């Protein structure tokens, strides 16, 4: 097929080169946005009198038909037409004849691809925000049920202090709220139309850039034609937002895997979200959680890839930048699939409250509280720390816990300890007394859940 840019060439493109540089196999995914962008451009060309109104109308009708045909699966894209932009143009010329050749007036594929990617990303961000919203709601519903479910909190994966399961879940809630905000922020920055930047230096045609931007729902236009075609910071910013979300999901997955182990048994993942072993009949594996954790790696990889592609590029467009797409699409797909499966996996898991409680009673999670008790009785904290340290060592040698020592045994370490100690170091007291904003006391977590519901509502209002 004759190339749309074939005028100055006397030889055909080598077959290997055609294969190598063609992007249609993956950028065909942009067809919808490419056509929307072309429709807005064609309308503006007509309105501004750059092409006859009648031609503009014909082009728009042709593009609308092509869109329908693609959606009906009737279109075979052509590898030799390189990319989605030229494929659509070829289809248009085939459909409406020479008038179709006027579509590309005052435009370059360089500003076209930047436009398409921004439009695509804006729509995908909205979908991802919806999926995050579902996850946030799932977390709130689950937290509401577990305000009083005591579990051990960990540092260094060693039992540290008692908290509640609701408190633990709400920690993730806060992370995913920030992730949602980060995406909104990324979207705000990318929502400017680069069309009119041309290949790099704008165009001599009096394009109405604002009209195109408005028709496509942008907040405005990019302010420098070189910048409009040369940066991919929106791809990088989105991929880094996605990496952070995957990192949060991955940490959560690690905990689900730990909690569902035979050794811990805090939760049972639903059969529908686990898989078996082909050889060991007894196995039920947390594969979904492991896969989300594993897929985090490829999203980080995509981020490193695009950062590296961009780092040495002179202004303005370079073909290297075509390498932004596969990683971006893979990031979008991976993130969406991970979020989609994550919320129902959480919502369907069984929480073993008794095991959480038993674990929080072992491991001396109330040791700090015993030290605080002694401080309230007048002992300086550092001395109290020492006394409780010795008590813990004593318990370890007797294979018992602080609560199970007799009053005489306790008083052997400090005469300040009285009968009221047992009440003071029960795990329930330990949790309830941490009644400080942001703390695990049920009263505080309830407030956090209420605030969380309001936050989600405000997201919905923003759209
Ligand atoms: N397929 C190209 C890309 O994704 C479109 C822009 C091509 N521009 C050019 N002058 N070769 O980057």
């Amino acid at each position: 097929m004759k190339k749309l840019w074939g005028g100055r060439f006397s030889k055909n493109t080598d077959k290997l080169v055609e294969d190598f540089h063609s992007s249609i196999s993956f950028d065909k995914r942009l067809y919808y946005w490419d056509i929307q962008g072309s429709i807005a451009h064609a309308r503006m060309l007509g309105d501004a009198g750059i092409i006859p109104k009648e031609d503009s109308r014909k082009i728009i009708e042709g593009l609308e038909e092509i869109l329908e045909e693609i959606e009906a699966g009737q279109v075979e894209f052509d590898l030799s037409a390189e990319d989605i932009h030229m494929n659509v143009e070829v289809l248009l010329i085939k459909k409406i004849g020479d008038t179709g050749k006027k579509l590309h007036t005052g435009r370059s594929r360089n500003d076209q691809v930047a436009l398409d990617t921004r439009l695509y990303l804006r729509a995908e961000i909205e979908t991802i925000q919806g999926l995050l919203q579902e996850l946030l709601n799932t977390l709130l519903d689950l937290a509401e049920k577990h305000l009083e479910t005591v579990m051990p909190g960990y540092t260094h994966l060693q039992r540290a202090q008692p908290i509640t399961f609701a408190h633990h879940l709400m920690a993730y809630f806060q992370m995913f709220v920030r992730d949602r905000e980060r995406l909104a922020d990324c979207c705000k920055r990318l929502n400017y139309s680069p069309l009119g930047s041309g290949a790099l230096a704008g165009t001599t045609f009096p394009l109405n850039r604002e009209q195109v931007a408005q028709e496509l729902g942008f907040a405005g236009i990019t302010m420098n034609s070189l910048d409009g075609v040369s940066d991919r910071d929106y791809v990088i910013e989105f991929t880094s937002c996605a990496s952070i979300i995957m990192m949060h999901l991955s940490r959560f997955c690690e905990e689900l895997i730990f909690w569902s182990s035979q050794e811990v048994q805090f939760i049972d993942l639903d059969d529908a979200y686990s898989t078996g072993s082909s050889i060991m009949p007894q196995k039920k594996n947390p594969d979904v959680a492991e896969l989300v954790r594993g897929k985090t790696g490829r999203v980080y990889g995509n981020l490193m890839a695009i950062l590296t592609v961009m780092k040495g590029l002179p202004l303005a467009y370079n073909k290297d930048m075509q390498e932004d797409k596969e990683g971006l699409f893979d990031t979008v797909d991976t993130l969406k699939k991970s979020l989609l499966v994550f919320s129902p996996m959480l919502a369907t898991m069984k929480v073993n409250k008794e095991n959480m409680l038993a674990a929080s009673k072992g491991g001396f999670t109330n040791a700090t509280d015993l030290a605080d008790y002694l401080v309230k009785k007048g002992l300086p904290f550092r001395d109290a720390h020492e006394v409780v340290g010795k008590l813990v060592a004593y318990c370890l040698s007797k294979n018992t816990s602080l609560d199970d020592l007799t009053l005489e045994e306790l008083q052997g370490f400090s005469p300040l300890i009285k009968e009221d100690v047992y009440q003071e170091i029960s795990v329930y007291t330990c949790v309830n007394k941490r009644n400080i904003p942001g703390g695990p006391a049920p009263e505080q977590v309830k407030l956090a859940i209420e605030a969380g519901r309001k936050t989600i509502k405000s997201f919905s209002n923003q759209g």
Side-chain angles (χ1 to χ4, degrees):
M1 192 192 72
K2 186 175 174 306
K3 301 283 187 211
L4 289 182
W5 41 252
R8 65 102 66 212
F9 286 78
S10 49
K11 261 191 182 174
N12 287 334
T13 316
D14 186 283
K15 190 77 201 89
L16 283 174
V17 172
E18 199 148 272
D19 244 26
F20 186 64
H21 86 144
S22 167
S23 56
I24 186 63
S25 63
F26 51 87
D27 69 12
K28 62 184 173 201
R29 186 192 281 232
L30 296 173
Y31 76 86
Y32 178 82
W33 296 113
D34 192 75
I35 292 176
Q36 296 310 318
S38 287
I39 289 175
H41 181 65
R43 195 181 330 273
M44 178 277 295
L45 289 177
D47 291 351
I50 299 168
I51 63 173
K53 269 243 159 111
E54 178 54 20
D55 287 352
S56 154
R57 196 188 53 74
K58 260 172 108 180
I59 291 173
I60 292 171
E61 271 174 25
L63 288 168
E64 281 167 349
E65 277 173 38
I66 290 168
L67 179 58
E68 276 173 28
E69 286 160 17
I70 296 175
E71 306 222 294
Q74 295 160 356
V75 173
E76 266 281 340
F77 290 114
D78 182 355
L79 187 82
S80 69
E82 256 177 73
D83 53 26
I84 186 61
H85 324 298
M86 292 208 294
N87 263 275
V88 171
E89 199 176 325
V90 167
L91 288 167
L92 182 69
I93 295 167
K94 226 187 256 167
K95 184 178 276 297
I96 66 169
D98 281 354
T99 310
K101 295 181 180 169
K102 297 185 178 176
L103 169 63
H104 212 50
T105 312
R107 191 176 68 167
S108 156
R109 279 185 294 154
N110 296 354
D111 54 357
Q112 195 177 352
V113 73
L115 177 88
D116 293 5
T117 311
R118 285 170 192 249
L119 287 169
Y120 160 81
L121 204 43
R122 195 179 66 186
E124 291 294 359
I125 287 176
E126 206 182 312
T127 308
I128 293 164
Q129 283 176 331
L131 291 168
L132 268 178
Q133 199 117 320
E134 248 175 76
L135 176 55
L136 291 171
N137 277 320
T138 305
L139 284 169
L140 288 182
D141 292 346
L142 206 53
E144 221 152 44
K145 287 192 209 138
H146 291 286
L147 283 166
E148 318 261 345
T149 305
V150 175
M151 71 179 281
Y154 294 83
T155 60
H156 314 269
L157 204 52
Q158 304 285 327
R159 287 177 211 168
Q161 291 174 342
I163 55 171
T164 67
F165 191 45
H167 191 53
H168 199 110
L169 293 169
M170 288 303 286
Y172 283 107
F173 178 88
Q174 301 301 334
M175 298 177 217
F176 292 123
V177 162
R178 289 194 296 277
D179 290 339
R180 166 70 168 76
E181 288 168 355
R182 248 186 292 274
L183 282 176
D185 208 44
C186 167
C187 197
K188 199 173 85 198
R189 254 186 298 280
L190 72 76
N191 198 22
Y192 290 87
S193 171
L195 220 59
S197 301
L200 75 161
T203 170
T204 54
F205 293 102
L207 302 187
N208 185 344
R209 294 191 62 200
E210 294 286 355
Q211 176 183 331
V212 173
Q214 220 168 37
E215 175 165 344
L216 295 170
F218 284 110
I221 58 172
T222 55
M223 294 312 288
N224 179 292
S225 65
L226 288 174
D227 174 51
V229 292
S230 351
D231 209 352
R232 293 292 180 267
D233 57 353
Y234 44 92
V235 175
I236 295 172
E237 192 171 350
F238 169 77
T239 313
S240 68
C241 292
S243 297
I244 295 174
I245 300 174
M246 290 302 293
M247 178 271 292
H248 286 150
L249 287 176
S250 184
R251 293 187 73 175
F252 206 161
C253 284
E254 169 59 22
E255 301 208 289
L256 294 175
I257 294 162
F258 172 60
W259 292 340
S260 64
S261 70
Q262 289 289 302
E263 285 69 20
V264 178
Q265 294 185 44
F266 285 179
I267 58 163
D268 286 314
L269 292 171
D270 194 82
D271 278 3
Y273 291 89
S274 318
T275 50
S277 155
S278 61
I279 175 169
M280 298 168 281
Q282 85 284 10
K283 290 295 288 290
K284 177 170 149 181
N285 298 327
D287 292 39
V288 173
E290 289 171 304
L291 261 180
V292 172
R293 189 178 58 183
K295 283 175 187 294
T296 303
R298 65 197 279 166
V299 173
Y300 289 5
N302 293 335
L303 177 61
M304 285 328 290
I306 182 64
L307 279 168
T308 312
V309 164
M310 296 303 293
K311 75 179 268 293
L313 298 186
L315 302 188
Y317 180 82
N318 303 268
K319 191 70 175 236
D320 315 46
M321 283 147 72
Q322 180 167 287
E323 284 293 305
D324 65 348
K325 279 172 215 62
E326 285 158 293
L328 174 62
F329 297 156
D330 182 65
T331 299
V332 166
D333 292 345
T334 305
L335 181 56
K336 283 202 309 197
K337 278 191 212 161
S338 301
L339 284 169
L340 203 61
V341 74
F342 199 87
S343 300
M345 174 171 66
L346 275 189
T348 54
M349 75 187 177
K350 187 172 154 276
V351 179
N352 302 325
K353 294 186 191 184
E354 321 68 44
N355 293 350
M356 287 186 174
L357 181 63
S360 68
K361 283 183 175 165
F364 308 101
T365 59
N366 52 1
T368 316
D369 297 79
L370 181 52
D372 288 353
Y373 170 89
L374 290 169
V375 169
K376 283 167 197 159
K377 298 271 179 186
L379 204 60
F381 180 77
R382 197 44 63 208
D383 295 337
H385 189 289
E386 171 82 13
V387 168
V388 179
K390 288 197 167 124
L391 267 164
V392 168
Y394 175 76
C395 287
L396 285 170
S397 72
K398 299 249 162 203
N399 195 21
T400 183
S401 66
L402 293 169
D403 324 48
D404 289 331
L405 296 178
T406 64
L407 192 56
E408 291 68 46
E409 280 176 302
L410 286 164
Q411 285 174 337
F413 289 82
S414 169
L416 292 171
I417 300 178
K418 299 281 166 342
E419 185 63 41
D420 60 352
V421 74
Y422 295 107
Q423 169 62 27
E424 284 300 300
I425 64 170
S426 99
V427 286
Y428 292 109
T429 313
C430 297
V431 167
N432 289 333
K433 277 205 159 174
R434 288 184 159 70
N435 196 359
I436 177 169
E443 205 178 304
Q444 295 296 337
V445 179
K446 224 167 150 176
L447 289 175
I449 293 174
E450 276 163 33
R453 295 245 182 250
K454 280 197 194 125
T455 305
I456 292 187
K457 238 197 210 127
S458 77
F459 287 154
S460 314
N461 295 339
Q462 285 163 24

